[in-house]
Amino acid sequence: ETSVTLYGILDGGIGYNKVDGTVVNRTTGVRTDYSAKKTGMINGVQSGNRWGLKGSEDLGNGLRAVFQLESGFDLGTGNSAQGGRLFGRQATLGLAGDSWGQLDVGRQTNIASKYLPGVADPFGAGFGQANIGTSFSAANTMRWDNLVMYQTPNFSGFQFGVGYSFNVSGNQGWDIDRPGLVNNPDEANGKGITTGLRYANGPIGVAATYDRIEFDADDAKFTQWNLGASYDFEVVKAMVAFGQTRDGWFQGTDFGPAVNAGGVADTSTGTFRSLDGLKVNSYLVGLTAPIGNGKLLASWQMADPSNSPDGALGEFEKQHTYSLGYTYALSKRTNVYAIGSYAKNVVFQDDLDSTLVGVGLRHQF
Amino acid sequence: ETSVTLYGILDGGIGYNKVDGTVVNRTTGVRTDYSAKKTGMINGVQSGNRWGLKGSEDLGNGLRAVFQLESGFDLGTGNSAQGGRLFGRQATLGLAGDSWGQLDVGRQTNIASKYLPGVADPFGAGFGQANIGTSFSAANTMRWDNLVMYQTPNFSGFQFGVGYSFNVSGNQGWDIDRPGLVNNPDEANGKGITTGLRYANGPIGVAATYDRIEFDADDAKFTQWNLGASYDFEVVKAMVAFGQTRDGWFQGTDFGPAVNAGGVADTSTGTFRSLDGLKVNSYLVGLTAPIGNGKLLASWQMADPSNSPDGALGEFEKQHTYSLGYTYALSKRTNVYAIGSYAKNVVFQDDLDSTLVGVGLRHQF
Amino acid sequence: ETSVTLYGILDGGIGYNKVDGTVVNRTTGVRTDYSAKKTGMINGVQSGNRWGLKGSEDLGNGLRAVFQLESGFDLGTGNSAQGGRLFGRQATLGLAGDSWGQLDVGRQTNIASKYLPGVADPFGAGFGQANIGTSFSAANTMRWDNLVMYQTPNFSGFQFGVGYSFNVSGNQGWDIDRPGLVNNPDEANGKGITTGLRYANGPIGVAATYDRIEFDADDAKFTQWNLGASYDFEVVKAMVAFGQTRDGWFQGTDFGPAVNAGGVADTSTGTFRSLDGLKVNSYLVGLTAPIGNGKLLASWQMADPSNSPDGALGEFEKQHTYSLGYTYALSKRTNVYAIGSYAKNVVFQDDLDSTLVGVGLRHQF
């Protein structure tokens, strides 16, 4: 009586993380020696752990009702991921038409996270710091709340999408007017625009995306545009990407535990973070190469801060990430993987490195 | 090997909310200008977003084991609703017999929420402030924890139900006796009784309900009884309801963000709230009218405070709610809707109005 | 397209709890009269309420990918159990081979909880304080996070298992090295080892287990080994167990609400709690006896503290637990139960008793 599909991915293994060097407090300029390491169970490295429900109902005349509810969790502890959200990975309802596309409301990833990694990331937006999102923060599997999203159908390989979020993270705050009001909740709403285009035809893949988040408080506004392209030579598939970020950071990467408890977390790039004056150019060159039942994955990424945020102290250096991975299919739904990734000058700190080594098992149901 | 059914409802759209006027602080009597508005994604307006599991096992001799687990969430953010409960909408296990009825234990709605809206609410307990619960708080989809509920079978259209909750909200506190104890947890248990009768036969529907919650602390006790009736003239179905509330409020309605942070939320009627001395008479007149694949919904409601709570300052005015809605079926499981509702003197404030306008899509699976 | 199984257990009823006597503050030595009681809805008494997803994929050559996600909740309120975890009962992914056994990563119960109650607990690790875990804390359905677990196949009735947890409760903390660091998160990791053996053949069952948890902070380390055996005489199945605990307590039992808010909870044995100097010998004698569609369950347990924790004030007395239960099958998947259990000197307090009486319904799907 119901057309719902129950699905999921489980991913767990063993790994080693190390973040090492010195950290500069961007407010005081003081340098501190820093080392953090961990050997243990890893999970969600290739793909975040999830279970979900999705469905589609044919309404006639090429029209369909579509929905997807996807719940993320930590396999090590069983806790919900995405800040404790029940359906933190996706919660959408929409109408889809063969001729005009699909319109969804709810929480889901932005266009850059949908279109760019599929074209330009050998690691398919997975594998921790190896994923393209480490340098291209708007493509870092960023999810927005309260999002209205429209995407065209695929026209001869072309697809276009555009979305607007009334508040990218959390319930939309009211616009309040009353005497003595200190902070208007509406000014804390992160209003997001996401748009982009992708093209996939034969060996060629191309993606172009643009994202902007605006907070009325402090007139904060930050943007990112990205370009990606790939060509499949069959023995190897080559990928390149370039992007520019201005005045903030979208979906951040946490390289290690925070240095300054309750203060600036100088080992994280931060999420939905306005950083006036920051300019970053991002680059990626990567490849995948099929080898029997396996696939080799490799990329070099760089995030180059050509201008530092206003008032931030210390040097802002180029962050490089070198990654090598291997996946081997045990079946269509199950594979093992190995990953090694080294990043230097992480969070643009001139003497801070991050290393990730791991092996794991991934199963899709 | 299992007879469980996986089901759900998704509901999302776009809407506008405004709460506007002045607010009186009931403790100090001070008036404040107040305006709050929001245009954005709405969700769960016609029906709260949910997924659930339910099942029934035939044990022979007309006996069945029955269960239902229902999880509510916010489609905008993916967060759990009902205060973060996993199965916040319902969590019950019971035995059902063809001849004697059904006995359940667990969390579920009270009898007024089960029996009254089905008879007397054109909006079927949905559509935000348009729903009957805005004026009849015991029928406001109120859910009680730790509830033991008995309902008879349907006898020629008659059904009777009665339930007792050991604590309506949260874990039942112990009754502690020891030297120096300041607050006995048992006195904070909200002990609830819910009972009622419904009759449905041909064009006629009738419901009568009674609810009481008692807290030993401060000898707080509040009650509500309600009557509802409907007659289906086929071109139109007419509905009326009347109820009386004494000394408190059951399931509250939040009309806008709280005015006094950390203090009295004068834009909400409050939930499980003892208000000694309060007397409210509630009225509803409504109708539904089928129009092709669509249905028109309309109601006027009033909550008339004939006596104000002891010590509360400022006027207590009649709260009126005027609502008009329309639903259109795209299929048996999917519909679109439009809703407009205007309420004045909300929370009995003499100069505070609330407006809701929205359109949405609802899908059941 | 998917091989996943959706399953669950629901368990609810009515019961009475009482904890009565005096409580000694172990820090100050001060005695306080204490009584706490509760009559109300009970749930999860025979079996914790749960729903879950599990699956297995055949990878060929006797190899399988296996997973299990199990979510615990409170039927009275609908809240998640296990500290709010989404899949708090189990979250594992593994590979299983017919010839070599199974290797899992994720959260699950330790070996003592898997092997001992099946052999030596008439109450099958259920029924509240009647369960074997009240005296044998490592077998008290203890779950560890970040666990890597290996178990052999069943060889003629023999099975061996061993597991290591990088942190038994919560995310694994980093090992941090930097100037001015006060508490290194790595030292708060509870590193756990669990191992054991079981044998089941015809009427004979035997289990032997060993558990250890170590915290680098304060050089805390506590251990427990347990032995259990059973023989099925058909009219009755007899069970015995013996165990020794040193320097701490594994999975605790809460007998009543805490006496000293924010301080030592002297009505709970505490979980993952280092208690240097504590020595406890644990004993159990029990039986089950089939009676038609029903089964009688009975046990006597004792936890005898031969040495008290360093610095703890007051007497440490033998904790005795006497339990009697009855289950009656309404079908293969549904049963009713009754339980009575009386414990004296609970938490080793010389004048503190705990009584549990309840009846309930349990349904498996």
Side-chain angles (χ1 to χ4, degrees):
Chain A
E1 78 186 54
T2 160
S3 66
V4 61
T5 299
L6 182 60
Y7 69 94
I9 300 184
L10 290 117
D11 179 333
I14 296 289
Y16 169 78
N17 279 271
K18 184 174 188 181
V19 184
D20 192 60
T22 59
V23 165
V24 177
N25 183 316
R26 296 300 192 185
T27 309
T28 64
V30 174
R31 300 183 75 94
T32 315
D33 287 341
Y34 178 88
S35 169
K37 52 182 198 269
K38 188 159 62 165
T39 301
M41 184 192 149
I42 54 175
N43 80 93
V45 166
Q46 181 176 0
S47 301
N49 282 288
R50 74 197 70 172
W51 72 279
L53 302 171
K54 61 185 171 186
S56 171
E57 185 198 10
D58 190 343
L59 301 170
N61 300 317
L63 194 67
R64 281 165 292 131
V66 291
F67 72 89
Q68 186 158 0
L69 301 173
E70 195 170 291
S71 173
F73 60 90
D74 183 300
L75 189 70
T77 62
N79 279 308
S80 287
Q82 289 86 38
R85 284 170 172 86
L86 177 63
F87 295 117
R89 298 181 57 89
Q90 184 159 349
T92 54
L93 171 65
L95 281 175
D98 293 343
S99 56
W100 58 267
Q102 182 164 337
L103 181 69
D104 284 316
V105 294
R107 175 177 170 86
Q108 62 172 302
T109 53
N110 68 324
I111 292 289
S113 298
K114 284 186 204 305
Y115 291 3
L116 193 67
V119 165
D121 188 5
F123 294 92
F127 292 101
Q129 71 178 37
N131 104 74
I132 193 172
T134 299
S135 307
F136 298 74
S137 66
N140 198 11
T141 315
M142 174 168 64
R143 297 179 178 95
W144 286 357
D145 291 328
N146 312 296
L147 181 57
V148 180
M149 172 79 87
Y150 168 72
Q151 292 180 82
T152 66
N154 186 317
F155 292 123
S156 322
F158 276 104
Q159 189 174 23
F160 168 79
V162 59
Y164 180 78
S165 165
F166 294 94
N167 184 24
V168 294
S169 180
N171 293 326
Q172 183 186 356
W174 292 74
D175 184 5
I176 302 181
D177 184 8
R178 65 176 175 83
L181 181 70
V182 180
N183 292 307
N184 187 353
D186 179 60
E187 299 197 347
N189 289 329
K191 289 154 190 163
I193 290 177
T194 182
T195 188
L197 193 73
R198 65 175 158 190
Y199 175 72
N201 208 334
I204 300 171
V206 180
T209 66
Y210 175 80
D211 284 273
R212 193 180 81 183
I213 295 180
E214 207 172 333
F215 293 93
D216 287 351
D218 311 320
D219 290 317
K221 177 163 68 178
F222 46 99
T223 59
Q224 184 176 125
W225 62 261
N226 295 312
L227 280 176
S230 63
Y231 194 89
D232 193 344
F233 297 96
E234 298 196 1
V235 290
V236 66
K237 184 174 179 178
M239 299 167 173
V240 293
F242 177 70
Q244 286 199 325
T245 310
R246 292 289 176 273
D247 301 319
W249 204 253
F250 287 81
Q251 183 70 38
T253 299
D254 295 332
F255 288 96
V259 177
N260 306 300
V264 179
D266 295 308
T267 55
S268 168
T269 38
T271 293
F272 302 143
R273 187 180 187 183
S274 160
L275 294 160
D276 219 42
L278 178 69
K279 290 189 189 181
V280 177
N281 292 334
S282 299
Y283 307 82
L284 180 145
V285 177
L287 64 86
T288 64
I291 305 178
N293 272 340
K295 188 149 82 161
L296 195 74
L297 319 168
S299 75
W300 162 80
Q301 301 175 48
M302 180 175 70
D304 175 4
S306 64
N307 208 60
S308 54
D310 301 349
L313 299 179
E315 296 299 304
F316 278 73
E317 292 295 328
K318 292 171 183 148
Q319 171 185 290
H320 293 262
T321 309
Y322 308 88
S323 306
L324 191 66
Y326 181 69
T327 65
Y328 182 84
L330 299 177
S331 79
K332 232 173 139 172
R333 302 200 277 124
T334 304
N335 69 279
V336 288
Y337 61 79
I339 176 71
S341 178
Y342 171 75
K344 65 179 221 181
N345 305 335
V346 300
V347 198
F348 314 126
Q349 307 259 3
D350 63 358
D351 177 32
L352 194 63
D353 302 347
S354 173
T355 305
L356 161 67
V357 179
V359 294
L361 172 69
R362 187 183 67 149
H363 174 70
Q364 305 177 60
F365 68 88
Chain B
E1 75 187 54
T2 160
S3 67
V4 62
T5 299
L6 182 59
Y7 69 95
I9 301 184
L10 290 117
D11 180 331
I14 295 289
Y16 169 79
N17 279 272
K18 184 174 187 181
V19 184
D20 192 61
T22 59
V23 165
V24 176
N25 183 315
R26 296 300 192 185
T27 309
T28 63
V30 174
R31 300 184 73 95
T32 316
D33 287 342
Y34 178 88
S35 169
K37 54 182 197 271
K38 188 158 63 166
T39 301
M41 184 190 149
I42 55 175
N43 79 92
V45 166
Q46 180 175 0
S47 301
N49 282 289
R50 74 197 69 172
W51 73 278
L53 302 171
K54 60 184 171 188
S56 170
E57 186 198 10
D58 189 344
L59 301 170
N61 299 317
L63 194 67
R64 281 165 293 130
V66 291
F67 72 89
Q68 187 158 0
L69 302 173
E70 195 171 291
S71 173
F73 59 90
D74 184 300
L75 188 72
T77 62
N79 279 308
S80 286
Q82 286 87 37
R85 285 170 171 86
L86 177 62
F87 294 118
R89 297 181 58 90
Q90 185 159 349
T92 53
L93 171 65
L95 281 175
D98 292 343
S99 57
W100 57 267
Q102 181 165 336
L103 181 69
D104 284 317
V105 295
R107 175 177 171 87
Q108 64 171 301
T109 53
N110 67 324
I111 292 288
S113 298
K114 284 186 204 307
Y115 291 3
L116 193 67
V119 166
D121 188 5
F123 294 92
F127 292 101
Q129 72 178 35
N131 105 72
I132 192 172
T134 299
S135 307
F136 299 75
S137 66
N140 198 12
T141 316
M142 175 169 63
R143 298 179 178 95
W144 285 358
D145 292 327
N146 312 297
L147 181 58
V148 180
M149 171 79 86
Y150 167 71
Q151 291 181 83
T152 66
N154 187 317
F155 292 122
S156 321
F158 276 104
Q159 188 175 24
F160 168 78
V162 60
Y164 179 78
S165 165
F166 295 95
N167 185 23
V168 294
S169 181
N171 292 327
Q172 183 186 355
W174 292 75
D175 185 3
I176 302 180
D177 183 8
R178 65 175 173 83
L181 181 69
V182 180
N183 292 306
N184 187 352
D186 179 59
E187 299 196 346
N189 289 329
K191 289 154 190 162
I193 290 176
T194 183
T195 187
L197 192 72
R198 65 176 159 190
Y199 174 72
N201 209 334
I204 300 170
V206 179
T209 66
Y210 174 80
D211 283 273
R212 192 181 80 183
I213 295 179
E214 207 172 333
F215 292 92
D216 287 352
D218 311 320
D219 290 317
K221 176 162 69 178
F222 46 100
T223 59
Q224 184 176 126
W225 63 261
N226 296 311
L227 281 176
S230 63
Y231 194 88
D232 192 344
F233 297 96
E234 297 195 2
V235 293
V236 66
K237 184 173 180 179
M239 301 168 170
V240 292
F242 176 70
Q244 285 200 327
T245 309
R246 292 289 176 273
D247 300 320
W249 205 252
F250 287 80
Q251 183 71 38
T253 300
D254 296 331
F255 288 95
V259 177
N260 306 299
V264 179
D266 294 308
T267 54
S268 169
T269 37
T271 294
F272 303 145
R273 188 181 186 182
S274 161
L275 293 161
D276 218 42
L278 178 68
K279 291 190 188 181
V280 177
N281 292 335
S282 299
Y283 307 82
L284 179 143
V285 178
L287 63 86
T288 63
I291 305 178
N293 272 340
K295 190 149 79 161
L296 195 75
L297 319 168
S299 75
W300 162 81
Q301 300 176 49
M302 180 174 71
D304 175 4
S306 63
N307 207 61
S308 55
D310 299 349
L313 300 179
E315 297 298 305
F316 278 72
E317 293 294 328
K318 292 172 183 146
Q319 171 186 290
H320 294 263
T321 308
Y322 307 89
S323 306
L324 192 64
Y326 183 69
T327 65
Y328 182 84
L330 300 177
S331 78
K332 233 172 141 171
R333 301 198 278 123
T334 304
N335 69 279
V336 289
Y337 61 80
I339 177 69
S341 178
Y342 171 76
K344 65 179 221 180
N345 305 335
V346 299
V347 197
F348 315 126
Q349 308 259 2
D350 63 358
D351 177 31
L352 194 63
D353 302 348
S354 173
T355 305
L356 160 67
V357 180
V359 294
L361 173 69
R362 186 182 69 148
H363 174 70
Q364 306 178 58
F365 67 88
Chain C
E1 75 186 54
T2 159
S3 65
V4 61
T5 299
L6 182 59
Y7 69 96
I9 300 183
L10 290 117
D11 179 330
I14 296 288
Y16 168 79
N17 279 270
K18 184 174 185 181
V19 184
D20 192 60
T22 59
V23 166
V24 177
N25 183 315
R26 296 299 191 186
T27 308
T28 63
V30 173
R31 299 184 74 95
T32 315
D33 286 342
Y34 178 89
S35 168
K37 55 181 197 272
K38 188 160 62 167
T39 301
M41 184 191 148
I42 55 175
N43 79 92
V45 167
Q46 181 175 0
S47 301
N49 282 289
R50 74 197 70 172
W51 73 278
L53 302 171
K54 61 184 171 188
S56 170
E57 185 198 11
D58 190 343
L59 301 170
N61 300 316
L63 194 65
R64 280 166 294 131
V66 291
F67 71 90
Q68 187 158 0
L69 301 173
E70 195 171 291
S71 172
F73 59 92
D74 184 300
L75 189 71
T77 61
N79 279 309
S80 287
Q82 288 87 38
R85 285 170 172 85
L86 177 62
F87 294 117
R89 297 181 59 89
Q90 185 160 346
T92 52
L93 171 65
L95 281 175
D98 292 344
S99 57
W100 58 267
Q102 181 165 338
L103 181 68
D104 284 317
V105 295
R107 175 177 171 87
Q108 63 172 302
T109 54
N110 67 324
I111 292 289
S113 298
K114 284 185 203 306
Y115 291 2
L116 193 68
V119 166
D121 187 5
F123 294 91
F127 292 101
Q129 72 178 36
N131 104 73
I132 192 172
T134 299
S135 307
F136 299 74
S137 66
N140 198 12
T141 315
M142 174 169 63
R143 298 179 178 96
W144 286 357
D145 291 327
N146 312 296
L147 181 57
V148 179
M149 172 79 88
Y150 168 72
Q151 292 181 82
T152 67
N154 186 317
F155 292 122
S156 323
F158 276 106
Q159 188 176 24
F160 168 78
V162 59
Y164 180 78
S165 165
F166 294 93
N167 185 24
V168 294
S169 181
N171 294 326
Q172 184 187 355
W174 292 75
D175 185 4
I176 303 182
D177 184 7
R178 65 175 175 83
L181 182 70
V182 179
N183 292 308
N184 187 353
D186 179 60
E187 300 197 346
N189 289 328
K191 289 154 192 163
I193 289 176
T194 183
T195 188
L197 192 72
R198 64 175 159 191
Y199 174 72
N201 209 335
I204 301 171
V206 180
T209 65
Y210 174 79
D211 284 272
R212 193 181 79 183
I213 295 179
E214 208 173 333
F215 292 93
D216 287 351
D218 311 320
D219 290 317
K221 177 161 70 178
F222 46 100
T223 59
Q224 184 175 125
W225 63 260
N226 294 313
L227 280 176
S230 64
Y231 193 90
D232 192 345
F233 297 96
E234 296 194 3
V235 292
V236 66
K237 184 173 178 178
M239 300 166 173
V240 293
F242 176 70
Q244 285 199 325
T245 310
R246 291 288 175 275
D247 301 319
W249 205 253
F250 287 82
Q251 183 71 38
T253 299
D254 296 331
F255 289 96
V259 176
N260 306 300
V264 179
D266 295 308
T267 54
S268 169
T269 37
T271 294
F272 303 144
R273 187 180 187 183
S274 161
L275 293 160
D276 219 42
L278 178 69
K279 290 190 190 182
V280 177
N281 291 335
S282 299
Y283 306 83
L284 180 142
V285 178
L287 64 84
T288 63
I291 304 177
N293 273 340
K295 188 150 79 161
L296 195 74
L297 318 168
S299 74
W300 161 80
Q301 302 174 48
M302 179 174 71
D304 176 3
S306 63
N307 208 62
S308 55
D310 301 348
L313 300 179
E315 296 299 303
F316 278 73
E317 292 295 328
K318 292 171 183 147
Q319 171 186 288
H320 293 263
T321 309
Y322 308 88
S323 306
L324 191 66
Y326 181 70
T327 66
Y328 181 84
L330 299 178
S331 78
K332 233 172 140 172
R333 300 198 280 124
T334 303
N335 69 279
V336 288
Y337 61 79
I339 176 70
S341 177
Y342 171 75
K344 65 179 221 181
N345 305 335
V346 300
V347 197
F348 315 126
Q349 307 259 4
D350 63 357
D351 177 32
L352 193 64
D353 302 348
S354 173
T355 305
L356 160 68
V357 180
V359 293
L361 172 69
R362 186 182 68 149
H363 174 70
Q364 305 177 59
F365 68 88

